[in-house]
Amino acid sequence: GAGAAVATGMCLFATGTDTGGSIRVPASYCGVVGLKPTFGLVSKHGALPLGFSLDHVGPMAQTVRDAAAALEVMAGYDPLDPTSVRRESYSFMPSSGPALNGVRIVLPQNFYFEKTGSDIRALVLAAAQSAEAAGATFVVGRVPDGDQLNTVAQVTLLSEAASVHEPYLRKRRQDYGADVLALLELGRAVPATHYIQAQRMRKRILGVYLELLKKADCILAPATPIAAPAIGQDEISINGEMEDTRIASTRLCRGVNALGLPSLVIPAGFTAEGLPAGLQLIGRPFGEAQLFSIGAAIEASLNLDRREPSFD
């Protein structure tokens, strides 16, 4: 809803919540900008929790600068949110002429481009070439097993969501839909040992990402492996192979929630069918200002036409 509202000009900014991609996936599908900030940078007080350690609140907007302006208002310590982090206040706004000279970017050799639609892959790689032409330097790098990280995130979410809803399941079980109820019951069945092992693996994978980000300013990858599916489409073909639409939609975003790293999604162009494609920039903890600077420079280098959907 928020992504569509921004894309159609109903509003200049919108607030999104992201536990497994729900800011970045709509941003990618709707051709707008969305930021999942560093965990703890923006207060979650007032938002219904789903995964205590995975939930994020962030801005959606039509441009990178608009998203940066929104984050300046949203960010800050909140004593009502126990996960809120105290940080010195500083500006997130990119300079008037953001440049990519001296910027080092990792283009992952694995996972992010492996099961990605050929049209999405081509658009994201073209955006990377545009960034390189504007002065960025790309470095070779491999990320940890993305499927393993997604499993860590999924085990964490199932367990934490079941914990959130435990009192309501006891008192108002009849008010839950069958699909949600099945997932919550699955979460209740996850052994504590699995949850703890997932947290150990989570920390280990985060360490590898942080080492990778010491060599570069950010990681550039597709935001989603597909363009927006049709409403109600349960399966989708990716390069001739069928995949569950929901799993495909969140595959490239979900793991970043477990890492708590900031991720900025910006439009990368349009498919042959005229649907938007998004790229995501994954940065260092509390590196939002740098992500906005890099994102604004790539945005300027692409200089995409703004397309508003038709309501005919």
Side-chain angles (χ1 to χ4, degrees):
V6 172
T8 55
M10 294 180 185
C11 56
L12 188 59
F13 311 102
T15 301
T17 56
D18 192 315
T19 304
S22 295
I23 290 173
R24 292 159 292 154
V25 173
S28 178
Y29 285 167
C30 294
V32 300
V33 175
L35 174 78
K36 182 199 79 62
T38 306
F39 186 77
L41 181 66
V42 174
S43 173
K44 298 185 291 293
H45 177 68
L48 180 69
L50 180 61
F52 296 111
S53 66
L54 301 170
D55 295 340
H56 298 70
V57 174
M60 304 176 76
Q62 293 183 3
T63 69
V64 172
R65 291 185 66 83
D66 285 351
L71 186 65
E72 290 206 350
V73 179
M74 299 171 72
Y77 175 70
D78 182 1
L80 297 176
D81 176 4
T83 66
S84 184
V85 176
R86 291 185 183 272
R87 298 281 297 180
E88 291 185 11
S89 60
Y90 55 90
S91 176
F92 296 107
M93 293 296 292
S95 61
S96 57
L100 290 170
N101 293 326
V103 171
R104 295 172 63 83
I105 301 174
V106 172
L107 196 67
Q109 293 181 302
N110 62 315
F111 181 62
Y112 286 100
F113 290 93
E114 287 174 353
K115 291 193 293 182
T116 299
S118 57
D119 49 353
I120 304 297
R121 178 187 175 93
L123 286 166
V124 173
L125 290 178
Q129 289 180 331
S130 179
E132 187 174 37
T137 299
F138 280 85
V139 298
V140 173
R142 293 182 65 84
V143 298
D145 186 340
D147 292 328
Q148 185 180 58
L149 179 57
N150 279 338
T151 299
V152 166
Q154 188 67 21
V155 169
T156 302
L157 176 57
L158 286 171
S159 302
E160 294 182 355
S163 174
V164 169
H165 287 271
E166 182 68 26
Y168 308 108
L169 285 171
R170 290 198 304 265
K171 298 176 183 178
R172 302 181 60 175
R173 186 182 184 88
Q174 71 280 0
D175 293 332
Y176 284 85
D179 53 345
V180 175
L181 187 61
L183 289 172
L184 293 175
E185 289 294 353
L186 182 60
R188 296 174 82 186
V190 174
T193 51
H194 289 190
Y195 179 81
I196 293 169
Q197 292 286 29
Q199 305 321 300
R200 294 175 66 190
M201 184 60 66
R202 179 183 190 176
K203 186 175 182 180
R204 188 179 305 168
I205 295 174
L206 173 59
V208 178
Y209 266 86
L210 293 178
E211 285 298 316
L212 188 60
L213 288 166
K214 287 181 181 179
K215 304 173 184 177
D217 299 295
C218 69
I219 299 166
L220 188 152
T224 54
I226 55 175
I231 294 172
Q233 185 175 357
D234 296 327
E235 286 190 317
I236 194 159
S237 175
I238 303 178
N239 301 331
E241 294 188 14
M242 299 304 295
E243 187 170 351
D244 178 89
T245 303
R246 181 179 291 274
I247 292 175
S249 294
T250 60
R251 185 182 344 114
L252 306 183
C253 288
R254 182 175 298 280
V256 188
N257 289 81
L259 300 175
L261 298 174
S263 175
L264 175 69
V265 167
I266 65 173
F270 300 90
T271 66
E273 292 76 24
L275 293 173
L279 65 83
Q280 66 174 325
L281 302 170
I282 304 167
R284 301 168 183 144
F286 302 103
E288 282 80 3
Q290 188 171 42
L291 282 187
F292 281 134
S293 179
I294 296 170
I298 295 176
E299 184 181 64
S301 72
L302 292 174
N303 193 28
L304 298 173
D305 293 333
R306 173 149 183 80
R307 302 184 186 180
E308 292 193 1
S310 170
F311 292 101
D312 293 341

